[in-house]
Structures are given as structure tokens and as C-alpha cells.
Amino acid sequence: MSINPIVFFDLIASLFIISIALVILAFSYSQLLKKLSASQKTYEELTSSANQKDTDLLENARKKASEIIEESTQKAQEIINDSQIFNTDTKKKLDDALQTLIKHQIAYFEKTSEDFLNEYKKELQVIKNTTLQIATTASKDIEEDTKKEVQDFDSILARETFAEQKVVEEKIEDEYSKAQKQVETYKADMIKKVDDGIFKILEGVSKTALGKTIPLNEHEELIIDALEKAKKTSMN
Amino acid sequence: MNDENLIRYDSLKSLKTTQEADSFAELIDSILPNLFKIKDSEFEDILSKTTGKSNSTLIKNLLEENKITQTDHTGIKRVLVQVRDIIKKFKVVKLTVAIDPTEQTISRISEWVYKNYGPGNLLDIETDESILGGAIVSIGGFYKDFSLKKAIGEVFTNNKKDLIGSLTK
């Protein structure tokens, strides 16, 4: 098997380039490791220094705190002592002042109450007068309104009564007219019935009388007459 | 000889009413089936025994008119059949009258009908006292009330006002 010379040289060139790149990479890595080692050392030194400073600071703070507490306690004791002395005197003065104040206040309240009472009375009187006036006015208004309403009611009642009376009168008149007509009709009917009755009786009597009084030969004549008439009528 | 010419309507003039005609027709109907069963000499005897004088006389007259002897059963039959047929053709004059008509009245009326309408008419008379008098006549589709009742009614109706007026005065 034979390899193309061009491909072969290309492969050689590529391997060469890769080798150079690996050498550069290895050098860079070693440099980086050196820098990392140096940095680690610096970090440890800084950490140690910082710890020392922290310890000093804490110690100083503890000392200062103890001093402050001690000083404070002492001052507090002094204040307590002073306040006890102050309390006794002050209490007495305060009581006196309070008594005086109370007296003043009582007097003030009494005066104020009296003033207020007077004012209240005055206001009450004013309200009373106003109310009385309003009530009087209202009473008059109510009276006038009531009178007016009563008058209106009377007027309406009279008007309505008149109208109703008129309607009733009209109805009565109408009913009377109807009743009169009915009576007239009834009267006419009755007269007609009586007339008819009389007529029927008269007719009946006549017929009975005639029927009984006709002799046989007359009957025969009447029958022959009927036949004659029938003949004439049928011929016409 | 033509059968139609055997019997004249005139010959049956003695039949005045429908009742008489019906009775005579029934007689003929009873004679005809037995006519050939009887002996020649028995016809008159049987006739006088089975029917009244008037019908018997009428049959004898009819036979005599047609010169048929009582022994000629064939001739008798021919005459009777023809009579029965003619009776069926008679017209009826229906009358409603107020009285029960006597024989005399029926004869008078029948005579008038014969004179005015000719032979071949029978009277059918009905009695209704309420018509008072006169007659209600019905002849061949013509009908008219000529009763006294109707006449009086018309008089009263036409003069009603005057009558009531005179009564109420």
C-alpha cells in the first residue's frame, strides 16, 4: 500500500504543529503553578495578620466595657442617693403645690360651672322662647291649614254630593221611564189579551150557537155551496 | 169485443163513496177465485148469500147490460175484472163535513158531483163537528176550506175592532 506524498507531508506538518502547541501548553501550565503557589503563600500571611488584629481588638473592647460598667454603676449609686434626698423635700413641696392647685382648680371649676350654668339657662330660655314662638306659629298654621282643608273638604263633599245626587236623579228618572214603558207595554198586552179573550169567547159562543141551530137540510146546502165554491175557485 | 167498452162508468153510478167501492172490489176479489168451482146455477144463490142487495143488484145489472148470463162464468169473470180495474181508476172527492151524512145527504152530494164532474168520482167523507158546517173540499190536488168555522172566523177577524168597540162601550 502506498501513501500519497502530499498527504504524508501534510500529516508530518500537522504532527509538528501539534508538538509545538503541546510544548507551549506545558510551559504555560508550569508558570501558572508557580503563580498559584505564590498567591497561596500571600493569602496565608494575610490571614494570620488579620487574626492577630481581631484578637487585639476584642481584648481592648472587653477592657473598655468593664470600665464603662464600673463607672456607670458608681454613677447610678450616686444618683440613687441624690434622688432619695430630693424625694422627701420634693414630695412635701409637691403636695403643697398640689393642694394649692386643687384649690385653684376647684375655684376655677366652680366659677366655670356657674358661668356655664348661667349660659345654659340663658340658652335654655332662648330655646324655650324660640320653641314657644315656633309652636305658636305652627299652631296657627295648623289651625289655618285645618280650616282650609275642612273648607275644601266641605266644598268637595258638596260638589260630589251634588254630582251623586244628579246621577241618582238621572238613574231614578231613567228607571222611572223604563218602568213606565214596561207598565205601558204590560197594559197594552193585558188589554190585547182581554180583547182577544172577549173575542174568543164571543166567537166560541157564536160558533156553538150556530153549530147547534143548523138543521140537516141547511148542512146539506152548506156542503153543496162549498162544492160550488170549490168548483168555481178551482176553475179560476 | 174490446174489454174497455164492456163497462161504462155510468153503470157504476150506484157506487157513491170510497167505502162502497172498496166493499164492492173486495166482493169481486172473493168471487173471482171461486167462480169456476161453483155450478152454473149456483151463482145467484151464492151472490145473494155473500153480499148485500145493492151489490148483488149492481152485479146482475152489469151482467145484463153486457148480455152475459149467470152460467157464463168466463163472461162473468171478464166483467168483474174490468169493473175492479175501473174502480181503481175512479177519482176521489174528499170532503170534511160537520155532520154524520145520511144516505140522503150522500146521494144529494153524489148527484151534484155526478152532474158537475161527470161519472167516475167517489166521495170520501170525513166528519169533524168543529168545522160547524159547510165542507173542506179536496179534489184532484185542489184543497180549500169552505167550512162555517172558517167563515165565522174571517167575519170576526175582519170586524174585530168594531166588535170589541161595541162590547166595551
Side-chain angles (χ1 to χ4, degrees):
Chain A
M1 185 177 82
S2 61
I3 299 168
N4 194 329
I6 295 167
V7 174
F8 177 74
F9 284 115
D10 282 346
L11 279 171
I12 294 296
S14 297
L15 283 171
F16 179 72
I17 290 163
I18 289 165
S19 300
I20 290 167
L22 283 170
V23 168
I24 292 165
L25 199 64
F27 180 73
S28 297
Y29 183 68
S30 68
Q31 288 296 316
L32 193 65
L33 283 174
K34 278 180 185 173
K35 280 181 182 176
L36 189 65
S37 177
S39 296
Q40 188 70 33
K41 198 177 178 182
T42 309
Y43 172 73
E44 281 173 0
E45 283 173 2
L46 284 170
T47 307
S48 175
S49 170
N51 284 338
Q52 186 61 44
K53 279 180 181 174
D54 286 346
T55 308
D56 292 346
L57 278 170
L58 281 170
E59 187 60 29
N60 288 337
R62 193 183 58 79
K63 279 179 182 174
K64 278 185 179 178
S66 296
E67 285 171 6
I68 287 164
I69 289 165
E70 199 176 332
E71 194 179 344
S72 298
T73 308
Q74 197 177 350
K75 280 186 178 177
Q77 191 63 44
E78 283 173 4
I79 287 164
I80 288 165
N81 291 337
D82 289 347
S83 70
Q84 279 176 348
I85 296 160
F86 175 78
N87 267 352
T88 311
D89 292 340
T90 310
K91 195 176 180 184
K92 194 175 177 299
K93 284 176 184 174
L94 200 63
D95 283 345
D96 293 343
L98 196 63
Q99 286 301 319
T100 311
L101 188 65
I102 287 166
K103 279 177 187 173
H104 277 291
Q105 281 298 318
I106 288 167
Y108 173 75
F109 278 127
E110 278 176 350
K111 193 174 180 302
T112 307
S113 296
E114 199 176 335
D115 291 347
F116 181 74
L117 192 65
N118 289 333
E119 283 297 316
Y120 178 73
K121 279 179 180 173
K122 277 180 191 172
E123 285 298 319
L124 204 63
Q125 190 60 40
V126 170
I127 290 165
K128 188 182 170 186
N129 291 337
T130 310
T131 310
L132 199 64
Q133 196 177 353
I134 289 166
T136 310
T137 312
S139 176
K140 278 181 184 173
D141 287 349
I142 289 166
E143 190 182 345
E144 281 173 8
D145 286 349
T146 309
K147 272 182 186 173
K148 195 172 178 302
E149 279 176 12
V150 167
Q151 279 173 355
D152 287 350
F153 179 71
D154 278 349
S155 172
I156 289 164
L157 195 67
R159 202 164 56 239
E160 290 293 322
T161 308
F162 182 70
E164 281 295 319
Q165 199 176 351
K166 203 173 177 185
V167 169
V168 169
E169 275 174 10
E170 280 173 1
K171 275 188 180 174
I172 288 169
E173 206 169 322
D174 192 38
E175 290 296 321
Y176 178 72
S177 177
K178 279 181 187 171
Q180 216 168 11
K181 275 181 189 171
Q182 283 175 350
V183 166
E184 287 297 326
T185 310
Y186 180 73
K187 197 175 156 185
D189 285 348
M190 288 309 289
I191 288 169
K192 192 174 179 302
K193 277 182 184 174
V194 170
D195 285 353
D196 288 347
I198 292 168
F199 183 75
K200 293 266 179 200
I201 290 165
L202 189 64
E203 193 178 354
V205 169
S206 303
K207 284 174 180 176
T208 310
L210 277 168
K212 282 183 180 174
T213 53
I214 297 169
L216 182 64
N217 62 332
E218 285 288 328
H219 271 294
E220 285 176 8
E221 285 299 327
L222 287 168
I223 293 165
I224 298 298
D225 277 350
L227 285 165
E228 294 275 6
K229 284 177 191 170
K231 189 184 173 190
K232 281 181 187 172
T233 312
S234 65
M235 285 172 110
N236 292 333
Chain B
M1 191 177 178
N2 189 347
D3 283 356
E4 281 294 324
N5 296 328
L6 268 178
I7 307 297
R8 292 180 295 117
Y9 278 31
D10 242 5
S11 308
L12 299 169
K13 191 185 168 187
S14 62
L15 295 175
K16 298 181 190 75
T17 66
T18 50
Q19 282 177 325
E20 288 171 357
D22 289 343
S23 171
F24 192 67
E26 280 175 18
L27 175 67
I28 291 169
D29 284 340
S30 66
I31 291 169
L32 286 174
N34 302 305
L35 192 61
F36 295 97
K37 294 176 186 173
I38 58 173
K39 291 177 182 175
D40 292 347
S41 57
E42 286 177 345
F43 182 73
E44 193 172 351
D45 286 341
I46 290 166
L47 200 63
S48 59
K49 284 176 187 172
T50 53
T51 186
K53 193 182 174 185
S54 60
N55 283 342
S56 175
T57 306
L58 180 58
I59 288 172
K60 283 177 191 171
N61 289 340
L62 287 167
L63 292 175
E64 279 175 17
E65 277 177 22
N66 290 283
K67 296 173 183 170
I68 293 169
T69 60
Q70 291 184 11
T71 54
D72 181 4
H73 289 184
T74 308
I76 293 169
K77 183 188 174 186
R78 202 167 62 237
V79 168
L80 291 180
V81 168
Q82 205 173 73
V83 168
R84 193 181 59 185
D85 292 342
I86 287 171
I87 287 170
K88 284 179 185 172
K89 291 175 185 172
F90 275 12
K91 290 175 185 172
V92 176
V93 176
K94 190 173 181 181
L95 296 173
T96 304
V97 297
I99 49 162
D100 268 334
T102 58
E103 277 294 324
Q104 185 196 329
T105 308
I106 289 169
S107 294
R108 196 178 164 190
I109 296 167
S110 181
E111 194 63 35
W112 184 93
V113 170
Y114 185 82
K115 278 183 185 171
N116 288 276
Y117 292 103
N121 289 290
L122 294 168
L123 296 175
D124 181 8
I125 298 174
E126 193 179 306
T127 306
D128 181 0
E129 285 181 10
S130 72
I131 69 165
L132 304 175
I136 299 169
V137 184
S138 174
I139 307 171
F142 171 82
Y143 176 92
K144 188 83 180 178
D145 186 350
F146 295 107
S147 69
L148 196 58
K149 180 187 176 184
K150 197 187 176 193
I152 293 169
E154 282 173 357
V155 169
F156 272 83
T157 307
N158 294 334
N159 302 292
K160 187 178 181 180
K161 281 184 181 175
D162 295 339
L163 283 166
I164 289 169
S166 62
L167 281 168
T168 50
K169 271 179 187 172

